[in-house]
Amino acid sequence: MKNLVIIVFGKNEEILQTLKRIIESNQGWQAVIQQDLSTCKNYLSEYPGDILLLSSGLSTQEEAEITDYLAHLNHSIGLIKHYGGGSGLLKNEIYSLFPDLIPDK
């Protein structure tokens, strides 16, 4: 199974911790929480992840800036704009980027 590093960028601490718990309840998935735009950019440059998950509380400007920043990285990273909807929706959003991770039924 592929390990995933999911960088979760948002402002609401409670929601970020919930997302971290949901993500890390899946074997091989790791959540890295970021709440500051500059720190998030630095992290993305230094530690390539698999997915950048945008969460609630970000300004329109922050979303645009981090999305533009992704386009200039030397590595590709998936982008998910997740603003709620539950753990099932979150997993489906992740599986849409990595369909090979969908568990056999």
Side-chain angles (χ1 to χ4, degrees):
M1 170 172 284
K2 176 178 174 49
N3 292 328
L4 288 181
V5 175
I6 302 166
I7 299 137
V8 183
F9 179 41
K11 299 293 182 177
N12 184 304
E13 179 68 29
E14 187 176 332
I15 291 173
L16 293 173
Q17 291 306 316
T18 299
L19 288 169
K20 181 176 177 69
R21 180 182 46 77
I22 291 168
I23 290 167
E24 293 186 346
S25 71
N26 295 276
Q27 184 177 356
W29 294 11
Q30 175 190 0
V32 176
I33 302 299
Q34 296 290 328
Q35 292 181 286
D36 175 74
L37 179 61
S38 178
T39 306
C40 186
K41 287 177 171 182
N42 289 336
Y43 188 90
L44 288 166
S45 291
E46 296 288 324
Y47 306 101
D50 299 294
I51 298 171
L52 175 63
L53 190 146
L54 302 183
S55 184
S56 62
L58 300 174
S59 70
T60 304
Q61 180 180 345
E62 287 173 312
E63 281 192 31
E65 194 169 328
I66 199 68
T67 302
D68 290 343
Y69 188 77
L70 288 182
H72 296 95
L73 291 175
N74 292 330
H75 55 276
S76 65
I77 181 170
L79 176 65
I80 296 174
K81 295 181 179 183
H82 181 80
Y83 305 108
S87 61
L89 175 60
L90 177 59
K91 284 183 182 180
N92 283 330
E93 290 169 333
I94 293 169
Y95 290 145
S96 73
L97 293 176
F98 296 94
D100 55 309
L101 296 180
I102 298 172
D104 293 332
K105 295 183 179 178

